[in-house]
Amino acid sequence: MLLAIITYSCNSLKKVEDNEYLVVKNTILVDSVKIKNEDVRSLIYQKSNTRLLGYPLRLNLYNLAKENPDSLYQAWLHKKPNRIKRLTNLLSEKQVDRLGESFLVKGLGLWLKDIGEAPVILDTTKTRKTLERLSAYYNSKGYFNNSTTYAIDSTSQNQKAKVDYKITLGKPYVIDSISNDISSKAIDSLYFLNAQETFIKKGERFDLDNFNNERERLTNIFRNSGIRNFQESSITFDIERDTIRSADDQKMNINLNIGNLKKRGENEVTTSEYKVEKINRINVYTNYLSKRKNALTDTVLYKDLNIYYTGKFKIKPKTLDDAIFFKSDSIYRDIDKIRTTRQLNSLNIFKYPNVIFEEDSTDNYVNTNIYLAPKPKYSLGTNFEVSRSNLRKIGVGMGASLLIRNIFKGAENLSLSADGTFGLLSRETFQEDYFSEIGGEITLDFPRIWFPFIRTTKIIPNYTLPKTRIAIGTSFQKNIGLDKQTLNTVLGYNWSPNSYNKHAIELLNIQYVRNVNKERFFDVYTTTYNQLNEIATDNDIAVNPSYFNDDNDLTTPTEVEDGVTPGTTGFINDVLSGTIPISNSGLTEDDYDDVKSINEREERLTENNLIFTTNYTFNKNNRDGILDNNFYQFRFKIEGAGNLLSAMSGIIPFNENDDEQLLVFGVPFSQYVKTEFDYVKYWDLSRSNVLAVRTFFGIAIPYGNSSNIPFVKSYFAGGSNDNRAWYPYSLGPGRTSALNDYNEANLKLAFNLEYRFPLFGDLNGAIFADAGNIWNVFDDVDNEDATFNGLESLKDIALGTGFGIRYDFTYFLFRLDLGFKTYNPAEIESKRWFRDYNFANSVLQIGINYPF
């Protein structure tokens, strides 16, 4: 389709008249220097048509639309004498008329115009308006003597114009003196207490942005220092050019004016001095929506709060006191209002909290009225999903959750959830052709940091939205994988000092994983089985014939009767015990190492796990709203496992297994330290074009009671949010090539680069490059191809490139990415670049929202 568009409409001048010029380029030259700043370039009235990788796609889509489709249809209809007669006999006269209104005749052209972009025709009136904008912009930067002109180059290309906007700045004006005229005494005192942080400084170049920033700074100071009703419009600046000095000595005198409070009445506007106000009464109306204010007759007095309610009082006064940051006889502060509203919303038991101030009869005092409307005590939620994977032919899942608010009258919220999935399996290796998964979780959240015997409010104040979470959950699988049963318990805390920073601590996270059907290992991990079977069926190796089935393949535990040693188990034991020796049996040292590695993997993936962790996570995100595409976000996490249990082993005599691992409830507990760094940066280039970069580093180091990392805590590479040229778990470790069905390791590096651009309508495009890999390090894996061996291992970083399309549904984004293996470390060094760089070996990834 793209080739057809290029071929048919490659003439971008198709709809440009003979006496018109298509604007193809705009250049801004300031003192002969080319300006690339997007804020300045956005001042251009006539921007050239958008381009996709240098090609004007939307312009050519617009050119495909036919002009006057009705006339063209009628001309086609009457071109041959018998055409209209044949169509009328075939369809009917009415249908022939409606054919002219159809999508193919008329609607297609309208659709192409809608998603396309009309040619930008040169208009010198708009060119001059652009000059006026540019001149005004540089006036605001202190260059009041700037001069502007433009030049149009229409000679080098037929009917195409390039416009150069030329600005000569001249010498800027600088601030020579700063004076002030402040009407209110309270404002005057506050201003001079905070004058040192001013944005307007003597001797600096005049810049209008500094005046706007100063106005915002002063307003924020006044409103947080008792001036509740301060109006930003009260701040004005008188700016005078110094005409006494010579023309070359361009100085400006600034006078700051802060007027009195203006009140608009019915017939006139009155003024009065600003005064510092204090908080008098704090009234809280707890069920205001259902009752009128004067109907709330019952009252509770708690510290500074007057709590009004009717009927049964349903919340502890201390909970409200912790969420309200106003104090009687203290000065008014805007920040207290913001924090109070945030905390009341965060409790999740009120809707529409509203804070209103009323002047008190006592001079310079105000009363604070807080109106609260309770949310329903119970909320029920349901969900439904359909899924598919390489194991699941189809799965249908349903879930339900019940939220009970304010269960202990302290804004504690209890959540009960359950979910289940039932479906058909893709493989015929299990006992039945169906599978099922069920699980449930109980979670209790409350709005404070709960820690026995320690008062945390001085360390983590209430305005940081502190929360404690206690959760316990379990899940059961039947006839899928090894039929895992899990039990998870969490005691965690989180708080947000501001809108940009978040902290989270899981003081206790206990995860127990039990594999019910360990004997199905080789039926589930078929790649591992095929590797072992290939070694065993080598004609040069002497293997016990009873280990094979009628197809001359190794038997697995699910294929044989009780009392018979499975071929997989027997062959592994014979190799590792030396019954099948390396010297004269045909078994090579490489075969022995492979069998040993398979045995270690089987033991690790079938053993039960007890993971007893503590972790801390810090998130920073400086994004201002969803429309901000110029921001960064950073995440750091550190986690330790097994340290408490290891310390307790000096007091409690834990049992040990044959590998001298300490056991808790018969299970060796995991011990490791894990840390992660994740950094994402966005650049807003121009016209909704965004460049996004992500870097990730993670490492988990086992020690003490563990020689490796549990599967659920290890890293994998590939997938829709990672290296998109590989499927999940199919990349690495290192330069190995698909050793196992689910490849994982304990060290990961990832680098992602993505250029995003609009196509038309809600459809967007992207090109990307993903680099990274996983390796084993500091664990029991000794395969040099899979381990990280210093800087030389960086040449094993895989590179995938590709392109994608995304459709924006407003509430979420649907994503299709096509990745190509550009550099594959699993190939021999001479064939790593572009070996499988084709559509046949590409990988289609489906995702929701952006990958990072």
Side-chain angles (χ1 to χ4, degrees):
M1 185 179 68
L2 183 60
L3 287 174
I5 292 172
I6 294 173
T7 303
Y8 183 80
S9 60
C10 59
N11 181 13
S12 57
L13 302 173
K14 185 176 180 180
K15 294 188 178 181
V16 179
E17 301 296 334
D18 292 339
N19 60 342
E20 295 178 334
Y21 291 92
L22 178 71
V23 178
V24 294
K25 187 176 182 181
N26 292 296
T27 305
I28 299 176
L29 299 170
V30 177
D31 289 340
S32 301
V33 177
K34 186 176 180 180
I35 299 299
K36 297 182 180 180
N37 184 292
E38 186 58 29
D39 290 336
V40 179
R41 294 190 59 82
S42 66
L43 301 174
I44 298 174
Y45 264 100
Q46 281 194 296
K47 298 178 176 66
S48 58
N49 290 101
T50 57
R51 291 176 173 267
L52 173 59
L53 302 178
Y55 177 73
L57 175 63
R58 295 188 64 190
L59 171 60
N60 286 330
L61 287 173
Y62 185 91
N63 287 339
L64 280 173
K66 295 185 179 297
E67 299 293 339
N68 302 317
D70 293 331
S71 301
L72 292 173
Y73 174 70
Q74 292 298 324
W76 172 82
L77 193 63
H78 294 89
K79 185 175 182 179
K80 294 184 178 181
N82 295 326
R83 178 173 288 170
I84 188 171
K85 182 179 179 180
R86 288 196 304 269
L87 287 174
T88 302
N89 292 334
L90 179 64
L91 299 174
S92 79
E93 184 177 348
K94 182 179 180 180
Q95 292 299 323
V96 172
D97 292 337
R98 295 193 64 180
L99 182 62
E101 300 293 326
S102 67
F103 176 78
L104 289 176
V105 175
K106 194 173 182 179
L108 178 60
L110 295 175
W111 179 73
L112 288 171
K113 285 187 175 182
D114 184 51
I115 66 173
E117 189 177 70
V120 179
I121 305 300
L122 179 64
D123 184 343
T124 54
T125 302
K126 294 181 178 179
T127 305
R128 287 190 290 270
K129 285 185 177 180
T130 298
L131 287 183
E132 293 174 1
R133 275 186 171 184
L134 292 171
S135 179
Y137 173 80
Y138 284 105
N139 279 342
S140 72
K141 299 299 180 182
Y143 298 97
F144 290 96
N145 295 326
N146 71 75
S147 59
T148 60
T149 185
Y150 67 87
I152 299 174
D153 179 7
S154 58
T155 58
S156 59
Q157 300 185 61
N158 185 32
Q159 286 190 271
K160 294 182 180 180
K162 298 179 180 179
V163 184
D164 291 341
Y165 298 94
K166 301 178 181 180
I167 301 98
T168 302
L169 295 179
K171 188 176 180 180
Y173 278 77
V174 298
I175 298 173
D176 184 49
S177 65
I178 305 173
S179 57
N180 59 77
D181 184 6
I182 302 175
S183 301
S184 301
K185 294 179 180 178
I187 294 292
D188 186 71
S189 299
L190 290 171
Y191 172 76
F192 283 103
L193 284 173
N194 298 276
Q196 297 299 319
E197 292 80 23
T198 181
F199 286 94
I200 305 171
K201 298 178 181 179
K202 183 178 178 180
E204 291 190 354
R205 174 174 55 84
F206 174 89
D207 190 334
L208 190 59
D209 286 344
N210 289 336
F211 289 82
N212 294 329
N213 292 336
E214 179 68 1
R215 186 180 286 109
E216 292 178 5
R217 183 186 77 89
L218 292 176
T219 300
N220 185 59
I221 290 172
F222 298 151
R223 288 181 179 171
N224 282 286
S225 302
I227 315 297
R228 175 183 59 87
N229 50 8
F230 183 80
Q231 301 164 339
E232 188 173 318
S233 59
S234 296
I235 303 175
T236 60
F237 297 94
D238 291 334
I239 303 172
E240 298 179 354
R241 301 186 189 184
D242 194 338
T243 57
I244 299 177
R245 302 174 186 266
S246 65
D248 293 334
D249 194 8
Q250 298 179 141
K251 304 290 186 180
M252 306 193 81
N253 300 320
I254 309 299
N255 186 61
L256 166 66
N257 303 302
I258 306 180
N260 285 327
L261 172 65
K262 293 182 179 180
K263 294 183 179 180
R264 185 178 299 277
E266 292 184 2
N267 301 316
E268 61 179 353
V269 176
T270 60
T271 61
S272 61
E273 281 195 23
Y274 285 110
K275 295 182 179 179
V276 174
E277 294 180 333
K278 291 186 176 182
I279 303 296
N280 187 17
R281 291 175 58 86
I282 305 172
N283 304 315
V284 184
Y285 302 93
T286 59
N287 49 352
Y288 187 67
L289 275 188
S290 60
K291 301 291 182 181
R292 297 192 308 273
K293 180 178 176 180
N294 55 9
L296 303 177
T297 55
D298 300 317
T299 308
V300 171
L301 301 180
Y302 183 83
K303 295 185 178 180
D304 294 333
L305 303 183
N306 303 290
I307 306 172
Y308 296 90
Y309 68 99
T310 186
K312 189 176 181 180
F313 189 59
K314 298 180 180 180
I315 188 168
K316 295 177 181 178
K318 185 181 186 306
T319 301
L320 292 175
D321 184 65
D322 289 342
I324 296 170
F325 298 96
F326 300 106
K327 301 299 177 185
S328 293
D329 209 38
S330 64
I331 63 171
Y332 169 85
R333 299 195 311 164
D334 245 11
I335 189 65
D336 292 334
K337 179 181 178 180
I338 295 171
R339 288 172 173 173
T340 297
T341 303
R342 286 182 68 217
Q343 181 70 340
L344 289 172
N345 274 311
S346 177
L347 295 180
N348 196 25
I349 61 174
F350 299 114
K351 52 185 176 182
Y352 320 125
N354 196 9
V355 182
I356 297 176
F357 299 93
E358 295 178 349
E359 293 186 1
D360 189 72
S361 56
T362 306
D363 193 25
N364 298 340
Y365 275 85
V366 293
N367 295 322
T368 305
N369 297 326
I370 302 173
Y371 300 97
L372 304 174
K375 288 184 176 180
K377 187 174 183 64
Y378 302 98
S379 292
L380 180 65
T382 59
N383 64 74
F384 175 81
E385 66 177 21
V386 178
S387 60
R388 187 186 183 283
S389 71
N390 61 333
L391 283 179
R392 305 172 178 180
K393 185 180 299 182
I394 189 172
V396 178
M398 297 185 66
S401 62
L402 175 65
L403 177 62
I404 307 174
R405 294 185 175 89
N406 197 31
I407 188 169
F408 302 124
K409 296 185 178 182
E412 302 91 354
N413 297 324
L414 180 67
S415 175
L416 310 174
S417 63
D419 56 78
T421 304
F422 181 87
L424 300 177
L425 289 165
S426 299
R427 299 182 183 178
E428 298 178 355
T429 55
F430 300 112
Q431 296 175 352
E432 305 290 345
D433 60 356
Y434 69 89
F435 72 91
S436 64
E437 294 180 80
I438 60 172
E441 186 177 57
I442 302 174
T443 303
L444 178 64
D445 291 306
F446 40 96
R448 51 195 170 272
I449 300 297
W450 175 80
F451 200 91
F453 314 113
I454 296 179
R455 185 176 178 85
T456 61
T457 52
K458 291 184 178 180
I459 304 172
I460 305 174
N462 289 329
Y463 67 79
T464 62
L465 309 183
K467 282 188 179 295
T468 298
R469 177 174 177 261
I470 301 174
I472 182 170
T474 186
S475 65
F476 302 89
Q477 296 179 349
K478 183 177 181 180
N479 206 39
I480 182 172
L482 304 181
D483 288 356
K484 293 182 183 294
Q485 297 178 355
T486 63
L487 178 67
N488 193 61
T489 302
V490 176
L491 169 61
Y493 314 101
N494 63 79
W495 67 98
S496 303
N498 51 53
S499 302
Y500 304 113
N501 299 336
K502 294 183 179 180
H503 302 268
I505 293 177
E506 287 186 342
L507 185 64
L508 191 64
N509 187 324
I510 304 174
Q511 187 174 7
Y512 172 66
V513 181
R514 176 173 176 258
N515 294 293
V516 179
N517 292 309
K518 300 179 181 181
E519 69 278 0
R520 284 212 302 246
F521 175 81
F522 287 107
D523 294 323
V524 175
Y525 296 92
T526 55
T527 302
T528 304
Y529 168 79
N530 292 335
Q531 185 183 9
L532 182 67
N533 190 55
E534 184 178 350
I535 298 173
T537 54
D538 192 314
N539 294 327
D540 295 332
I541 300 179
V543 184
N544 189 332
S546 65
Y547 294 160
F548 297 95
N549 58 23
D550 294 339
D551 296 325
N552 200 33
D553 291 326
L554 288 174
T555 57
T556 63
T558 56
E559 294 179 346
V560 295
E561 300 295 334
D562 292 340
V564 179
T565 302
T568 51
T569 304
F571 178 65
I572 290 174
N573 291 339
D574 287 351
V575 170
L576 298 183
S577 64
T579 302
I580 302 178
I582 297 176
S583 58
N584 54 11
S585 66
L587 187 74
T588 67
E589 291 188 4
D590 289 340
D591 291 335
Y592 179 87
D593 292 339
D594 289 341
V595 172
K596 181 181 178 183
S597 176
I598 290 172
N599 181 63
E600 291 173 347
R601 177 173 170 80
E602 180 187 9
E603 290 179 351
R604 187 164 77 88
L605 295 186
T606 57
E607 72 176 359
N608 299 330
N609 296 120
L610 178 62
I611 310 171
F612 200 107
T613 69
T614 298
N615 63 67
Y616 165 75
T617 304
F618 170 72
N619 283 281
K620 184 176 182 62
N621 188 335
N622 71 339
R623 189 173 193 177
D624 290 322
I626 59 174
L627 299 179
D628 182 10
N629 283 322
N630 216 346
F631 68 94
Y632 72 88
Q633 59 188 37
F634 171 74
R635 182 179 67 87
F636 165 73
K637 181 177 181 179
I638 185 167
E639 178 175 288
N643 297 320
L644 180 60
L645 293 177
S646 179
M648 292 173 59
S649 64
I651 304 173
I652 302 174
F654 292 137
N655 294 328
E656 295 184 3
N657 61 13
D658 294 339
D659 296 325
E660 298 183 350
Q661 290 179 299
L662 301 177
L663 304 178
V664 177
F665 304 117
V667 179
F669 63 85
S670 300
Q671 192 170 8
Y672 62 85
V673 61
K674 182 179 183 180
T675 186
E676 296 177 352
F677 298 87
D678 195 357
Y679 179 78
V680 175
K681 172 64 179 171
Y682 278 42
W683 288 275
D684 191 349
L685 301 179
S686 65
R687 304 170 79 171
S688 300
N689 289 259
V690 175
L691 183 66
V693 174
R694 179 197 181 204
T695 60
F696 176 87
F697 169 77
I699 186 171
I701 302 174
Y703 64 96
N705 209 50
S706 297
S707 59
N708 52 59
I709 302 299
F711 182 85
V712 294
K713 294 292 184 178
S714 58
Y715 295 110
F716 70 92
S720 62
N721 295 327
D722 193 62
N723 198 320
R724 283 161 280 187
W726 279 264
Y727 289 110
Y729 294 98
S730 66
L731 173 59
R735 55 182 176 271
T736 60
S737 177
L739 282 180
N740 305 300
D741 299 83
Y742 302 96
N743 294 286
E744 39 77 38
N746 62 328
L747 170 65
K748 180 174 182 178
L749 287 173
F751 310 93
N752 306 87
L753 175 67
E754 185 167 282
Y755 173 58
R756 302 166 185 166
F757 47 86
L759 291 175
F760 40 79
D762 293 323
L763 191 66
N764 302 308
I767 55 175
F768 60 83
D770 301 325
N773 208 334
I774 56 173
W775 295 267
N776 290 93
V777 63
F778 303 127
D779 61 4
D780 55 5
V781 175
D782 53 12
N783 182 354
E784 290 189 1
D785 290 344
T787 56
F788 190 84
N789 304 303
L791 294 179
E792 65 177 17
S793 294
L794 295 180
K795 65 181 181 182
D796 297 334
I797 291 179
L799 175 64
T801 57
F803 59 89
I805 58 173
R806 292 86 191 275
Y807 192 86
D808 191 348
F809 286 93
T810 304
Y811 298 104
F812 68 95
L813 182 136
F814 179 76
R815 172 166 52 91
L816 291 175
D817 289 326
L818 194 65
F820 299 86
K821 296 178 178 63
T822 308
Y823 177 84
N824 188 354
E827 301 286 351
I828 60 175
E829 289 197 35
S830 61
K831 297 183 179 180
R832 290 183 175 182
W833 285 100
F834 302 104
R835 175 71 182 275
D836 296 321
Y837 202 85
N838 49 59
F839 283 99
N841 292 290
S842 64
V843 175
L844 179 64
Q845 304 281 6
I846 300 175
I848 300 297
N849 295 328
Y850 290 112
F852 54 91

